[in-house]
Amino acid sequence: MTGEAQRGDHWKRRFPGFSVVGQADHWDDATRAVVLARLEPPRPITYLPEELRPTGVALVAQLVAVDGEFALALLASIDERLATNQTDGWHYDDMPIDHDVWKRSLAGLDADAAKECGSAFSDADEEQQQELLERVRTSDATDWHGMPPGRVWNLWMRYVCTAYYAHPSAWDEMGFPGPAYPRGYKNTGIDAREPFEVADTMPHMDPTVSSAP
């Protein structure tokens, strides 16, 4: 499987023996082709400029806590959306179009890193990267490299989370068995599971639980 979340092995023990790929025979041909293609090596990045790609990989890796290989695959998915104009269909009136935001914000991270760390964002250490991103996330300023920082953060998270949660590795992490069509589900309700689902052995790891790390 291309890329594994770099969260240690604890999450792999939540749903022991479960793999969403094992459910592929129950999907229709079109669905199976789309999902399994996400496990292939990432397509070449064509839209984002070459000099900004390492920063893009580092940003994605920080936002969803994955390793560099997985982050590259997710960035390639985002890049494909930008290259083919698959946006969310809207943008804030005080923001450029999404394509420009990605280029300008990655360049902005590099500029901040050069000023604060003396390096590109991708070459800064993990703690420095986190500090630079936290400044964007928590800023109440109206301008960060010509854009409202809160809007930039919103756009990053929308694109990165969409790419991440479309990937079968993320489905394995939460025990999601994939598309219901054409098999469907018959055991609905709280704690009701299908025969092909696996019980969560570590419910305290659920991020919706207040005690989760």
Side-chain angles (χ1 to χ4, degrees):
M1 184 173 291
T2 299
E4 288 289 349
Q6 192 181 37
R7 305 169 188 269
D9 290 337
H10 62 268
W11 67 267
K12 297 179 182 179
R13 300 194 298 271
R14 287 187 62 187
F15 305 95
F18 176 78
S19 174
V20 69
V21 175
Q23 305 300 316
D25 288 344
H26 298 284
W27 306 334
D28 61 35
D29 292 342
T31 299
R32 184 163 48 249
V34 169
V35 174
L36 296 184
R38 297 171 186 169
L39 299 173
E40 298 296 325
R43 59 177 289 279
I45 293 176
T46 59
Y47 181 78
L48 293 173
E50 185 173 357
E51 65 273 14
L52 296 179
R53 294 170 195 173
T55 295
V57 171
L59 170 65
V60 172
Q62 285 287 353
L63 292 182
V64 285
V66 298
D67 62 26
E69 180 187 6
F70 199 174
L72 175 60
L74 299 181
L75 184 66
S77 176
I78 293 169
D79 181 83
E80 182 174 16
R81 286 187 60 185
L82 299 175
T84 56
N85 201 33
Q86 297 178 44
T87 68
D88 290 335
W90 60 274
H91 68 89
Y92 291 104
D93 60 5
D94 57 354
M95 286 279 282
I97 61 174
D98 293 2
H99 307 65
D100 289 343
V101 176
W102 271 100
K103 290 180 178 178
R104 290 170 59 175
S105 64
L106 294 179
L109 285 175
D110 274 342
D112 287 358
K115 180 179 179 180
E116 299 293 331
C117 314
S119 71
F121 180 80
S122 58
D123 292 327
D125 65 37
E126 186 172 338
E127 185 175 339
Q128 291 172 325
Q129 290 179 0
Q130 291 173 353
E131 182 177 343
L132 290 169
L133 292 178
E134 187 68 1
R135 290 181 190 177
V136 178
R137 187 186 72 84
T138 60
S139 175
D140 57 4
T142 58
D143 183 270
W144 178 76
H145 297 286
M147 300 171 290
R151 305 286 203 215
V152 173
W153 183 265
N154 177 285
L155 179 138
W156 284 343
M157 293 303 297
R158 281 190 284 119
Y159 273 78
V160 174
C161 287
T162 295
Y164 178 70
Y165 284 107
H167 199 283
S169 287
W171 299 354
D172 280 346
E173 182 178 348
M174 58 188 176
F176 173 55
Y181 180 82
R183 176 173 54 186
Y185 290 87
K186 58 184 176 63
N187 297 326
T188 59
I190 298 175
D191 290 331
R193 291 186 300 277
E194 304 298 327
F196 48 87
E197 294 182 299
V198 176
D200 185 356
T201 63
M202 304 176 72
H204 65 283
M205 296 302 301
D206 187 334
T208 64
V209 177
S210 60
S211 60

